[in-house]
Amino acid sequence: MERTVVRCAEGHVFSTASFPMQHLGAGRIGPGRLLRCPRCARLRQSVPVGVDKR
């Protein structure tokens, strides 16, 4: 299983085994997903590391 490195809205970087709906691409629904951050233990908007915020 492939892991994805993501950054939450608070700036914490962590990896996740699944990144929901990643196959749909940024053009259709945006790059961010709601994930539980292991550092702050809250649901946060998260984006894969390397995605530009343009």
Side-chain angles (χ1 to χ4, degrees):
M1 181 176 283
E2 189 175 325
R3 296 191 67 81
T4 303
V5 178
V6 297
R7 176 177 286 118
C8 82
E10 294 294 317
H12 302 133
V13 176
F14 58 97
S15 67
T16 182
S18 69
F19 195 68
M21 301 185 327
Q22 185 175 12
H23 64 280
L24 292 178
R28 290 186 58 189
I29 59 173
R33 303 290 177 267
L34 196 60
L35 297 174
R36 186 167 304 279
C37 175
R39 296 273 314 271
C40 55
R42 296 186 179 205
L43 287 175
R44 300 280 186 200
Q45 183 75 11
S46 302
V47 294
V49 172
V51 171
D52 244 349
K53 291 183 181 179
R54 291 185 192 192

